[in-house]
Amino acid sequence: MKKIILNLFLLNFIIVLSVTGRDVISFNDGWSFKKGPFTKSATLLTDDQVGGQWQEVTIPHTWNAKDMQTDLANMSWIRNPQERFYTGEAMYKKTYTPDSALIDKRIFLRFEGVGSVASVYVNNQYAGKHLGAYSAFAIEISSLLKYGEENEIIVLADNTPRPDVIPVNNVLFGVYGGIYRDINLIVTEKVNIAVDDYASAGIFISQKEVNSKSANVTIKTKIDNKTFRKQHINLVTTIFEMDGKTVKAKMESLVTLPTQGRQFLEQDFLIKKPHLWQGLEDPYLYKVVTQIVDDGQILDQIMQPLGLRHFELKTGEGMFLNGKKVPMYGTCRHQDWWELGSALKKEHHDKDLEIIKEMGATTIRLAHYQQAEYIYAKCDSIGFIVWAEIPFVNSVSTLETENAKQQLTELIRQNYNHPSIYVWGLHNEVYKPFQQTIPLTTTLHDLAKTEDPYRYTISVSGYNAIDATANNNADIQGINHYFGWYGGKIGDIKDWAEKIEKEFPDHNVMFSEYGGEANIYQQKEDVGEIGDCCGFDKKYYETFGTKFHEIQWGIISQHPYILASYIWNTFDFGTPLSSQGGIHSRNMKGLVTFDRKTKKDPFYWYKANWSKEPVLYLTQRRADQRENENTSVTVYSNTGTPRLYINNTEVTDFSKGTTPVHYIFNVVKLKEGENIIEVKANDNGQELSDKIIWYYSPENKKSASSEQPKERTEEHIGL
């Protein structure tokens, strides 16, 4: 078997020791898959009972990659959308032959995510079960294996909505079925750092009194002893600098482990003159390596990140990181991709974070569920400030209490050591019966504070009322509201912000979701202050979405009372039970299309306002069929005053819009036919330019309100 050393930098430290420790082996290959529904009970797990054909698959895998997004081969779902996509049981099987030398080891299967209920069997014997699609779980299979022989492992996955497993439905997003994240086989000695403590790392790094002079760090390690005799071990924890070679601090603790019971061991460090984790400005990470050593032999070792930082939200002022105010330029992220669903690889996560960083965002709401471990680790190293949450969202069944508590515990323990996370999300838009939501949210808040007293909690309401009874049981109150989309006008946000500032000056409030739908294949030159919501036959003009964000960010940016704001959403995402704006199964509030290929105009609005990179951008580039001979041209420029040219003639009359980067050239006359629109600006001596082409005809005004061509709408389905 291939031994995975935690990091190459460890070699310099452990060269004098005999290395055994743990093996972490990818278990993604060699699986066969069979989708239900099964005609008979699958509990005995025999082929003659379940029927059907097996197909070879590689993990990550989901069976809903297409049918939850739009199966073009079967459009009958328009009448019965819940019958279009499959939710139910499916089976995965694989053979595994453990070496006979492993008989005295402990062997675990660790699944990072299975949608949404998983039952695991080894040689037709029940090994364990997990409820919830988004958190990892670990199951020990040591006693069920036949060593030196072939073993059959079967995973029964089921994404049928259940009232006792959150989320309880597929309304706001689809719960993709399958083993859609990585599987690892973990082999350890019988004395080990806990593997099955809610699938956590087994070590928990807490930090207190962090400043530029010093930081107090406590590292709690959970150790199992399954040898049935006392063990004398040395717990060695070393904190390395970011280079992986220089030792910042080291501690050894001689411990006698009793014959039974998991032991919790703590080591306290005082880090002098720490290099602080300062978000995007300086995401400095130490490396913590914890080892169990016995007579010069490493029995187990774990590496975790350590970013020394202190988050503080000051009411009415904003976020302070290590005493320095940082902007909370926020956006939300759903994990699914077009034609992949949630079965993503590292390159897909990297692409999403690359786009978010390009936009200039500083904080991400990873909504509405626990996301891939890789994402949190990358946010640590990039420097994003992260909101992590559980999928207690949209509906209340009254049967979800235990599962919500379980998933929150998993979220916290599995991600406890990530310095990027500043807040745990408890619920999103869950209301009646209040007799369930209020005590459950209170319980979740208490649970979060017990598990992690060093971070904030937040709950989110879809009402724009600060005194909503279901939403005042966490440290921070999030407000989701879509002024101008789900009612009212875009500019109504201004009166709302001023009202809550005056009436609730002591509340910690975040604008946790705002946005408007934008279909890049639906364009209109003139749009009003009210969106064409909601329905399949409605028009989700990109130009309206652009106007929406221009107005709303212009207002949000002037109100520091709003501690943070989060755009809904960075990317278009799947909504299997809704069909709107000419597209089936799609929420188009994203700033980027579902396939990540097209960045909509509002994306560049935020990039111009937030990013430190020079931006010069002409809007309405896809609204190229112009209705008016006399029109206006909007330019985003964060690099000085732009110079506009229409058919090589300069236009100098402009006004400023809602923020300093917003330029509106008001009096522009087009000729019939093709018009070349070009803008130029200087950035530190380098000339920037952008160019688009518009086509003007008096006939365009007559057809502006007509239906979009059918073939154009279908083309967008592939985005």
Side-chain angles (χ1 to χ4, degrees):
M1 294 185 300
K2 182 180 178 182
K3 181 170 294 291
I4 306 298
I5 301 298
L6 289 174
N7 200 308
L8 289 176
F9 83 87
L10 286 175
L11 293 176
N12 292 328
F13 177 59
I14 63 179
I15 194 168
V16 298
L17 300 174
S18 172
V19 181
T20 53
R22 67 172 65 192
D23 286 329
V24 181
I25 305 149
S26 174
F27 216 58
N28 287 345
D29 296 332
W31 289 90
S32 297
F33 168 74
K34 183 185 294 186
K35 186 169 75 172
F38 303 127
T39 56
K40 296 182 180 180
S41 171
T43 54
L44 296 181
L45 307 174
T46 57
D47 283 355
D48 60 337
Q49 284 184 301
V50 298
Q53 297 295 316
W54 294 95
Q55 66 181 91
E56 294 184 2
V57 297
T58 299
I59 308 304
H61 174 263
T62 175
W63 62 76
N64 292 126
K66 292 187 177 180
D67 66 359
M68 272 194 173
Q69 296 184 347
T70 293
D71 182 358
L72 297 179
N74 177 16
M75 298 300 286
S76 63
W77 68 275
I78 295 174
R79 293 184 297 274
N80 300 296
Q82 295 189 72
E83 297 178 4
R84 177 183 61 87
F85 57 89
Y86 177 69
T87 58
E89 291 182 329
M91 295 173 61
Y92 295 82
K93 74 174 180 179
K94 173 176 177 164
T95 58
Y96 166 57
T97 303
D99 192 283
S100 298
L102 298 179
I103 195 167
D104 289 325
K105 306 285 188 178
R106 299 185 69 188
I107 300 179
F108 302 83
L109 285 175
R110 188 179 189 275
F111 298 83
E112 196 183 329
V114 179
S116 61
V117 174
S119 300
V120 180
Y121 299 82
V122 178
N123 300 322
N124 280 350
Q125 298 181 74
Y126 175 76
K129 189 173 187 175
H130 181 261
L131 306 180
Y134 302 105
S135 46
F137 61 97
I139 295 175
E140 184 169 5
I141 60 173
S142 311
S143 64
L144 301 178
L145 291 171
K146 296 178 290 186
Y147 295 87
E149 301 179 39
E150 191 174 85
N151 295 259
E152 184 178 70
I153 297 173
I154 288 186
V155 179
L156 183 66
D158 190 341
N159 68 332
T160 304
R162 290 174 45 159
D164 61 334
V165 179
I166 57 173
V168 299
N169 58 39
N170 292 290
V171 171
L172 291 186
F173 53 90
V175 181
Y176 294 88
I179 307 177
Y180 72 95
R181 291 185 187 150
D182 292 340
I183 313 170
N184 283 318
L185 185 79
I186 301 176
V187 181
T188 73
E189 302 291 339
K190 292 199 172 183
V191 176
N192 68 331
I193 298 170
V195 177
D196 54 357
D197 176 38
Y198 287 91
S200 69
I203 71 170
F204 301 87
I205 307 170
S206 302
Q207 45 186 293
K208 303 180 288 294
E209 300 175 12
V210 176
N211 55 57
S212 60
K213 295 181 179 180
S214 65
N216 293 315
V217 175
T218 297
I219 300 178
K220 178 192 290 185
T221 304
K222 298 186 178 183
I223 301 180
D224 280 335
N225 175 18
K226 298 299 184 183
T227 64
F228 298 104
R229 59 182 181 273
K230 287 185 179 181
Q231 292 290 329
H232 304 287
I233 58 101
N234 189 11
L235 183 66
V236 181
T237 296
T238 309
I239 300 175
F240 291 88
E241 296 280 3
M242 196 169 185
D243 62 11
K245 299 177 181 179
T246 306
V247 175
K248 182 69 173 179
K250 181 178 179 180
M251 182 174 295
E252 299 187 22
S253 303
L254 296 174
V255 180
T256 298
L257 301 175
T259 58
Q260 60 194 59
R262 182 171 290 166
Q263 304 305 306
F264 298 173
L265 306 178
E266 291 190 0
Q267 295 172 309
D268 295 319
F269 293 82
L270 176 62
I271 309 297
K272 295 182 179 180
K273 296 182 179 179
H275 192 148
L276 300 181
W277 187 89
Q278 195 60 43
L280 289 167
E281 180 183 314
D282 185 9
Y284 190 88
L285 292 173
Y286 294 96
K287 295 179 177 68
V288 175
V289 178
T290 296
Q291 300 173 314
I292 300 175
V293 180
D294 180 21
D295 194 25
Q297 182 181 61
I298 297 176
L299 302 183
D300 202 0
Q301 57 187 7
I302 290 290
M303 186 182 74
Q304 289 290 284
L306 170 60
L308 292 171
R309 83 290 181 267
H310 174 66
F311 290 117
E312 182 182 7
L313 288 169
K314 294 184 180 180
T315 304
E317 295 185 56
M319 171 66 82
F320 290 77
L321 175 57
N322 304 318
K324 181 179 180 179
K325 185 173 181 179
V326 293
M328 293 290 277
Y329 299 151
T331 191
C332 300
R333 188 247 188 183
H334 262 303
Q335 67 181 4
D336 60 337
W337 277 53
W338 170 249
E339 293 190 327
L340 295 174
S342 55
L344 306 182
K345 297 181 179 179
K346 289 181 179 179
E347 55 261 36
H348 302 113
H349 299 302
D350 286 338
K351 182 65 174 179
D352 281 4
L353 293 178
E354 174 189 317
I355 290 171
I356 292 171
K357 187 176 182 181
E358 179 193 346
M359 184 171 61
T362 61
T363 179
I364 310 174
R365 181 184 179 194
L366 294 172
H368 287 302
Y369 37 76
Q370 183 170 333
Q371 299 199 9
E373 295 172 355
Y374 182 76
I375 278 283
Y376 298 107
K378 288 292 288 187
C379 287
D380 293 340
S381 61
I382 294 172
F384 287 120
I385 298 171
V386 170
W387 166 346
E389 64 186 49
I390 60 171
F392 185 24
V393 57
N394 177 245
S395 294
V396 181
S397 72
T398 74
L399 300 177
E400 63 273 283
T401 297
E402 291 307 313
N403 189 249
K405 290 163 61 178
Q406 170 208 309
Q407 291 199 47
L408 181 60
T409 302
E410 291 168 331
L411 174 71
I412 294 174
R413 294 198 189 182
Q414 291 168 22
N415 298 287
Y416 189 92
N417 299 327
H418 290 298
S420 55
I421 297 174
Y422 79 99
V423 67
W424 304 116
L426 307 181
H427 79 225
N428 180 84
E429 296 185 9
V430 290
Y431 309 116
K432 298 178 181 179
F434 294 127
Q435 291 79 3
Q436 170 75 352
T437 59
I438 294 173
L440 179 50
T441 302
T442 302
T443 296
L444 294 174
H445 170 78
D446 290 350
L447 175 61
K449 291 299 186 180
T450 300
E451 290 284 333
D452 179 11
Y454 308 107
R455 288 184 175 94
Y456 295 99
T457 65
I458 188 168
S459 60
V460 174
S461 171
Y463 298 116
N464 58 337
I466 304 303
D467 54 356
T469 57
N471 208 42
N472 281 275
N473 305 290
D475 295 328
I476 308 166
Q477 181 166 174
I479 298 294
N480 297 346
H481 208 76
Y482 297 79
F483 299 97
W485 187 253
Y486 294 126
K489 296 182 178 180
I490 303 172
D492 290 346
I493 184 178
K494 182 176 185 295
D495 291 340
W496 171 77
E498 292 173 351
K499 182 174 183 290
I500 62 172
E501 286 172 339
K502 180 179 179 181
E503 296 182 0
F504 303 97
D506 299 324
H507 282 61
N508 287 327
V509 177
M510 292 184 176
F511 204 31
S512 43
E513 289 180 25
Y514 70 101
E517 309 266 358
N519 182 340
I520 64 169
Y521 284 94
Q522 293 182 347
Q523 301 289 340
K524 187 178 181 182
E525 182 176 341
D526 296 322
V527 292
E529 266 255 346
I530 301 173
D532 194 18
C533 175
C534 300
F536 184 77
D537 295 327
K538 299 295 185 177
K539 297 300 180 184
Y540 287 180
Y541 298 115
E542 182 185 6
T543 42
F544 177 84
T546 304
K547 181 176 183 178
F548 182 103
H549 285 286
E550 288 174 349
I551 294 172
Q552 294 225 336
W553 173 249
I555 296 169
I556 292 168
S557 64
Q558 297 171 15
H559 290 271
Y561 172 85
I562 300 173
L563 297 175
S565 58
Y566 291 87
I567 303 160
W568 190 261
N569 198 283
T570 312
F571 309 101
D572 292 348
F573 60 93
T575 52
L577 291 179
S578 70
S579 302
Q580 302 184 62
I583 304 296
H584 297 299
S585 307
R586 185 76 48 84
N587 184 303
M588 288 176 283
K589 292 189 182 73
L591 305 181
V592 182
T593 53
F594 206 0
D595 64 357
R596 278 62 171 173
K597 290 183 178 179
T598 302
K599 296 164 184 171
K600 306 176 189 179
D601 282 354
F603 174 89
Y604 292 96
W605 167 247
Y606 287 103
K607 183 176 180 179
N609 277 282
W610 294 353
S611 176
K612 295 179 182 179
E613 296 180 4
V615 176
L616 183 67
Y617 184 81
L618 285 161
T619 70
Q620 298 193 22
R621 57 211 309 115
R622 280 169 288 277
D624 55 1
Q625 302 301 311
R626 306 305 291 185
E627 307 163 21
N628 301 309
E629 180 182 18
N630 295 303
T631 187
S632 63
V633 175
T634 296
V635 178
Y636 304 149
S637 173
N638 63 4
T639 184
T641 303
R643 306 185 306 277
L644 182 72
Y645 300 88
I646 307 296
N647 300 317
N648 294 319
T649 300
E650 186 171 6
V651 178
T652 58
D653 179 23
F654 68 85
S655 60
K656 296 301 290 291
T658 59
T659 75
V661 307
H662 195 188
Y663 295 83
I664 304 169
F665 291 82
N666 298 294
V667 183
V668 174
K669 186 173 183 178
L670 303 179
K671 66 180 182 180
E672 283 201 48
E674 179 181 283
N675 292 266
I676 299 174
I677 319 297
E678 188 171 15
V679 65
K680 298 179 180 180
N682 289 316
D683 178 61
N684 294 323
Q686 181 179 2
E687 185 170 86
L688 304 177
S689 65
D690 191 23
K691 182 169 67 174
I692 60 176
I693 297 176
W694 283 349
Y695 301 90
Y696 165 66
S697 169
E699 297 300 313
N700 289 340
K701 201 171 191 70
K702 298 178 183 179
S703 60
S705 60
S706 65
E707 291 287 329
Q708 290 290 326
K710 182 179 179 182
E711 63 272 18
R712 202 168 191 183
T713 300
E714 287 184 346
E715 183 182 7
H716 179 241
I717 288 176
L719 286 170

